[in-house]
Amino acid sequence: MMYDLFIEPLQYQFMQRALIASVMVGVINGALGCFIILRRMAFIGDALSHAVLPGVVIAFMVAGKGHFALFLGAVFAGIVTALLIGFVNRNSRIKEDSAIGVIFIGMFALGVLLISRLRAVHLDLQHFLFGDPLGVSPGDLYLTAIIGMVILGSIILFYKQLQLTSFDPTMATAIGMNTALVHYFLMGILSMTIVASLQAVGIILVVAMLITPGATAYLLTERLPRMLVLASAIGAIAAILGLYISYWMNYSSGAAMVIVVTLIFLVTLVLAPKQGILIKAVQRKRAQDRHLKDDILKAVYHLTNDRKDTRIQTIADYLGMEEQVLKKPIKQLKQEHYLHIPDNGKLELTDDGEKQALKLIRSHRLWETYLTEKAGLGWEHVDEEAERLEHDLPDAIVDEIDERLGYPETDPHGAPIPKKDGTVRETVDHPLDTLQVGETGIITRVSDQIPEVLATLWKAGLVPNVQLTVTERDNGDMHVQVGEKKYSLDNNATSRVMVKKV
Amino acid sequence: MQNAAVIDIQNLTVSYHRKPAIRSINLKLQEKGIIGIIGPNGAGKSTLLKAILKLVPIEHGTIKVFGEPVDKVRSKISYVPQKEIIDWDFPVTVEDVVMMGRYAHLGAIERPSARDRAIVDEAIDKVSMNEYKKQQIGNLSGGQQQRVFLARALAQESEILLLDEPFVGVDATTEQAIIDLMHTLNDEGKMVIVVNHDLGKVQDYFDYLVMINQWLVAYGPTREVFKPELLSRTYGGRLTILQKTERFFGVAQ
């Protein structure tokens, strides 16, 4: 089976040559492509691959189908293009990307124009545009091998220059490297690579063989030498598979190679161990689960503290979520010994659970205090911010914030901040709606769950340490008096303002 | 150390697209001590640093370093760029970056030797980044990243260090580490020149100040030139100067 599929075609010399040429093209493009990607030159790579066409055609017109002439013509056209782009860029207000766009399409059109005049002599445009690996001659093979050696040799010999000018051109210039020379040198070997690839993949598709293997490798490694090796390997594999697919199924070989390499890229994009979309989604889901569990622990803590019911339904209401969503995390929290569920169904925190809840509350309230005091954010905005960060702030940072704020006792809403050792000042406050008509209380804190309520209270001056007296109760609504002013509060507000009875 | 000016700048003008960034600056830097370059945004602080290395097109004037044109002494000058210009996703490790400092001394196709690697290890050790050697640079904190670039400058074993805003976005520990290192290098006889934006600690950090606002406003020992009058000439109306006991605090807006 394997023999039939892969070895049998190799009895034909043209297939042997095609295979060797394709592998070389895959390797050269893969390696060189890494630098093209890191220097953000993908567009110029595409441009150059199109722009060599007139050079190739003119060389053909002058010298016939001599390989070396075609090669020279292409390199010449490539360098002219690179210089022209640089010239336009430097001498006008046209930026580089537009300059590339103008020049390369112009050059490509010139090539197409020349070919259309040459129809009579059977220079097949198709072969230039889409490649024809099965037509590789021994001469083509030598040329490709020589170009390959020059390019790989240059990458090995001038690795330092290529690496540093790509990474930090300023330092490269500072220590005396000629960055412009490196740039034009790269343009030169890029033109050569394109010529070498003409037969295998053609002008239109070569940029995929140049960019995609490197882009794939970039998702898999954080080291440049490994990226070079991986990209070469991916390029070679794609070239081989593409060639066989085209042999057996009679597809265009260049297109088959590009489809294979694109598929390899897409699979890597999804499955890569560090950069992959899948692993990132899993990490995100895990973080979400953890945050939800944190929120449940906090809810149980707050409800217990306010002497309210802690059945799962109440917690769901408190968090504004469906009961169903909470079942699994609560079960896990029980298994992890953070929660204890007695027969009455009321959730209780274990010691570990309380510790974790206090840690979160500490992080949340310190961060809120920091944002209000140091960053000058409005009272009503900070809760949301703190909610996002409380789960992920490392302990060391929380402690540092604590220190910088001078170990505050309460947050801006008046709620006590748990200490580093897990102790928290007892609160003797109750929701405002527990006060009867005629009773007086001092606001100790305002629950921060609903920003709109918080903002309204803040604007009205109903903030911690203000003394108020209840003058009237009407179902959930209450009328209170502060000094001379009277306020009417609905049950949204009265259940969230905490007071200490006087 | 040297009698000849280490860096001798004469009548320097640098323009970007015909808009001058630095105008006719004359400056001889030769003192032993840490030199700060201060001035408002757009005053040409970074440009002055880059001009010393001919990283920007010089319109007029000459710059000599150790009495020679800069091209002859490039390996003796190390440069720590601003953090923003670096691509932190680039596939290089801490070790790789620090090794770049050695490139200044290597021939075109020469490979790093065991000695180069030893120097790199030592430089990494000096900035306490040993455990991060194999880390890709994007995985580091802002302070750690700055230290890596400092180690790269150390590995270059240069005579002159040029640092562009090294304190931006770094933690207090790193800031102290940078200061300590600057002092050590200075004691070893190396010249350290720092572009700095924040005026708050100028008096603690720098022995000499170059104050520029396109033109050179003043150059001299910090205690002589860090004065309200010169500061307001440097910063124009954009500076509020607060006097607090014996010290001056400048607040740039």
Side-chain angles (χ1 to χ4, degrees):
Chain A
M1 170 71 185
M2 286 299 270
Y3 178 86
D4 288 347
L5 220 50
F6 289 103
I7 309 298
E8 192 244 54
L10 291 181
Q11 60 181 294
Y12 306 107
Q13 274 204 342
F14 70 83
M15 190 61 185
Q16 290 171 12
R17 286 199 294 267
L19 187 73
I20 296 170
S22 302
V23 169
M24 287 196 291
V25 163
V27 170
I28 306 169
N29 276 289
L32 186 61
C34 292
F35 290 105
I36 304 297
I37 290 170
L38 292 173
R39 299 169 82 99
R40 300 176 194 204
M41 282 172 28
F43 186 42
I44 211 174
D46 192 23
L48 219 51
S49 66
H50 288 72
V52 297
L53 187 62
V56 175
V57 179
I58 292 171
F60 182 82
M61 290 162 75
V62 175
K65 203 175 182 285
H67 303 102
F68 195 65
L70 292 190
F71 161 72
L72 276 185
V75 172
F76 183 72
I79 289 171
V80 166
T81 307
L83 289 172
L84 268 176
I85 291 169
F87 178 81
V88 173
N89 187 28
R90 270 194 306 276
N91 292 290
S92 73
R93 58 194 296 181
I94 307 295
K95 303 283 182 287
E96 190 180 26
D97 57 338
S98 305
I100 295 170
V102 171
I103 304 297
F104 100 77
I105 290 292
M107 292 287 277
F108 187 59
L110 180 65
V112 175
L113 200 80
L114 291 172
I115 285 184
S116 68
R117 295 285 297 154
L118 277 177
R119 276 280 150 136
V121 289
H122 293 292
L123 178 64
D124 199 347
L125 179 64
Q126 194 79 10
H127 285 176
F128 277 111
L129 296 185
F130 299 109
D132 176 25
L134 299 183
V136 170
S137 69
D140 292 330
L141 210 55
Y142 285 126
L143 185 66
T144 308
I146 291 167
I147 295 174
M149 277 190 281
V150 169
I151 289 166
L152 295 182
S154 315
I155 291 178
I156 292 168
L157 283 179
F158 301 114
Y159 176 78
K160 279 199 314 265
Q161 286 84 346
L162 288 168
Q163 180 211 38
L164 184 55
T165 56
S166 306
F167 174 63
D168 186 354
T170 316
M171 179 191 175
T173 315
I175 63 168
M177 279 185 188
N178 189 335
T179 48
L181 186 67
V182 175
H183 176 80
Y184 287 112
F185 171 74
L186 255 183
M187 292 293 96
I189 59 175
L190 182 56
S191 309
M192 291 198 226
T193 310
I194 289 158
V195 184
S197 315
L198 278 185
Q199 282 259 273
V201 279
I203 280 173
I204 307 267
L205 297 171
V206 64
V207 71
M209 293 305 285
L210 188 67
I211 302 303
T212 316
T216 312
Y218 192 30
L219 295 173
L220 291 169
T221 175
E222 292 182 327
R223 308 209 54 177
L224 184 51
R226 268 180 226 164
M227 182 176 165
L228 289 164
V229 172
L230 262 175
S232 304
I234 292 166
I237 291 168
I240 296 170
L241 289 179
L243 183 68
Y244 277 104
I245 289 171
S246 103
Y247 177 87
W248 286 113
M249 305 172 83
N250 208 15
Y251 287 137
S252 150
S253 58
M257 289 176 195
V258 172
I259 293 292
V260 171
V261 80
T262 309
L263 285 176
I264 295 176
F265 172 80
L266 290 175
V267 170
T268 311
L269 183 68
V270 176
L271 297 180
K274 266 191 186 166
Q275 303 289 328
I277 289 172
L278 196 68
I279 193 78
K280 283 189 178 161
V282 170
Q283 283 165 350
R284 230 183 350 258
K285 176 77 170 67
R286 279 198 197 133
Q288 269 172 6
D289 289 351
R290 192 164 49 81
H291 292 182
L292 178 56
K293 287 203 251 175
D294 283 351
D295 289 341
I296 294 171
L297 291 178
K298 275 191 349 179
V300 177
Y301 179 87
H302 286 310
L303 291 168
T304 312
N305 239 18
D306 294 348
R307 301 192 173 72
K308 286 188 181 148
D309 178 55
T310 54
R311 266 179 295 227
I312 196 167
Q313 179 59 54
T314 325
I315 290 164
D317 288 347
Y318 182 88
L319 291 174
M321 299 180 98
E322 293 293 321
E323 207 179 316
Q324 205 54 39
V325 184
L326 299 184
K327 285 206 166 132
K328 202 174 130 200
I330 285 178
K331 202 173 140 203
Q332 284 170 354
L333 282 167
K334 197 183 152 199
Q335 281 161 359
E336 290 157 2
H337 304 290
Y338 283 119
L339 279 180
H340 172 66
I341 311 176
D343 294 338
N344 63 12
K346 290 187 179 182
L347 274 59
E348 289 171 12
L349 291 175
T350 62
D351 285 351
D352 280 347
E354 188 172 313
K355 222 183 270 173
Q356 173 68 5
L358 283 171
K359 208 179 102 180
L360 290 161
I361 291 166
R362 169 177 161 80
S363 159
H364 180 103
R365 291 185 178 160
L366 277 172
W367 187 237
E368 274 188 335
T369 314
Y370 185 83
L371 287 177
T372 334
E373 285 189 10
K374 301 276 172 178
L377 257 66
W379 215 42
E380 67 272 25
H381 303 300
V382 292
D383 181 60
E384 224 177 298
E385 284 296 322
E387 196 65 45
R388 242 192 317 218
L389 267 171
E390 62 181 9
H391 309 279
D392 302 311
L393 276 181
D395 289 351
I397 291 189
V398 173
D399 293 343
E400 172 148 356
I401 293 173
D402 198 11
E403 188 190 324
R404 284 204 194 177
L405 290 169
Y407 307 103
E409 288 286 327
T410 57
D411 76 0
H413 314 108
I417 297 173
K419 295 288 154 203
K420 194 181 174 180
D421 58 15
T423 56
V424 59
R425 204 188 60 196
E426 267 315 304
T427 49
V428 283
D429 51 7
H430 308 283
L432 176 61
D433 56 13
T434 58
L435 287 195
Q436 299 305 310
V437 173
E439 283 185 318
T440 298
I442 293 173
I443 300 180
T444 52
R445 60 198 168 98
V446 180
S447 160
D448 51 16
Q449 282 204 311
I450 303 178
E452 294 77 34
V453 174
L454 207 52
T456 315
L457 292 169
W458 179 255
K459 279 188 198 120
L462 294 173
V463 295
N465 295 325
V466 167
Q467 183 168 329
L468 48 74
T469 308
V470 181
T471 53
E472 212 183 315
R473 286 193 64 132
D474 180 9
N475 287 331
D477 297 351
M478 293 176 90
H479 297 269
V480 298
Q481 189 163 354
V482 179
E484 294 297 301
K485 285 187 184 159
K486 285 187 176 169
Y487 299 95
S488 151
L489 302 174
D490 65 9
N491 61 354
N492 256 327
T494 54
S495 61
R496 288 186 169 79
V497 175
M498 305 297 287
V499 294
K500 197 160 71 182
K501 245 189 258 184
V502 179
Chain B
M1 180 182 70
Q2 243 107 356
N3 283 334
V6 176
I7 298 178
D8 188 354
I9 299 169
Q10 280 180 11
N11 197 23
L12 176 71
T13 298
V14 177
S15 305
Y16 295 122
H17 305 289
R18 286 194 221 121
K19 274 170 81 183
I22 288 185
R23 302 165 192 255
S24 312
I25 285 192
N26 286 295
L27 195 58
K28 282 183 185 165
L29 303 171
Q30 57 195 343
E31 286 76 10
K32 185 169 162 46
I34 296 166
I35 301 169
I37 301 178
I38 62 167
N41 284 334
K45 301 187 294 285
S46 297
T47 306
L48 180 59
L49 218 56
K50 288 181 185 151
I52 294 172
L53 284 163
K54 288 215 298 193
L55 297 173
V56 287
I58 289 166
E59 202 173 296
H60 285 301
T62 54
I63 297 172
K64 296 227 161 137
V65 180
F66 299 118
E68 307 246 27
V70 67
D71 280 323
K72 290 198 166 175
V73 290
R74 284 190 178 278
S75 65
K76 293 185 185 171
I77 311 170
S78 55
Y79 173 72
V80 178
Q82 283 185 38
K83 279 182 61 194
E84 300 88 81
I85 67 163
I86 298 298
D87 171 10
W88 297 103
D89 287 330
F90 202 92
V92 281
T93 60
V94 168
E95 234 173 7
D96 294 339
V97 172
V98 179
M99 182 58 85
M100 291 170 189
R102 298 305 302 160
Y103 290 1
H105 302 284
L106 296 174
I109 57 168
E110 196 182 346
R111 315 235 127 214
S113 65
R115 183 169 165 270
D116 291 316
R117 275 189 289 275
I119 293 169
V120 165
D121 283 348
E122 199 185 327
I124 294 175
D125 191 49
K126 273 192 188 154
V127 298
S128 320
M129 287 293 290
N130 275 339
E131 47 183 314
Y132 301 98
K133 258 183 212 172
K134 306 277 176 199
Q135 285 280 326
Q136 193 268 338
I137 52 166
N139 300 330
L140 307 173
S141 75
Q144 291 170 333
Q145 290 173 339
Q146 192 66 58
R147 283 193 243 177
V148 173
F149 278 79
L150 216 61
R152 182 174 82 173
L154 288 181
Q156 193 179 330
E157 298 187 317
S158 55
E159 296 301 316
I160 300 174
L161 272 93
L162 306 177
L163 296 97
D164 201 348
E165 303 270 12
F167 304 119
V168 169
V170 306
D171 51 289
T173 325
T174 300
E175 184 159 334
Q176 196 52 51
I178 297 175
I179 294 297
D180 292 347
L181 211 61
M182 286 187 338
H183 283 291
T184 316
L185 291 167
N186 197 237
D187 292 343
E188 289 170 11
K190 300 187 172 175
M191 176 175 250
V192 180
I193 304 178
V194 183
V195 164
N196 198 41
H197 184 78
D198 176 20
L199 288 179
K201 290 180 176 165
V202 159
Q203 284 160 301
D204 299 327
Y205 289 173
F206 306 118
D207 304 311
Y208 291 86
L209 282 183
V210 175
M211 299 164 88
I212 58 170
N213 190 351
Q214 299 195 346
W215 307 88
L216 179 68
V217 178
Y219 170 58
T222 304
R223 69 192 128 70
E224 284 173 25
V225 297
F226 200 69
K227 294 276 165 68
E229 187 221 290
L230 287 174
L231 278 167
S232 66
R233 263 173 57 203
T234 310
Y235 285 83
R238 283 180 289 173
L239 187 75
T240 318
I241 295 161
L242 310 163
Q243 191 166 8
K244 192 173 149 195
T245 64
E246 294 280 280
R247 297 167 60 98
F248 298 108
F249 286 86
V251 184
Q253 286 170 357

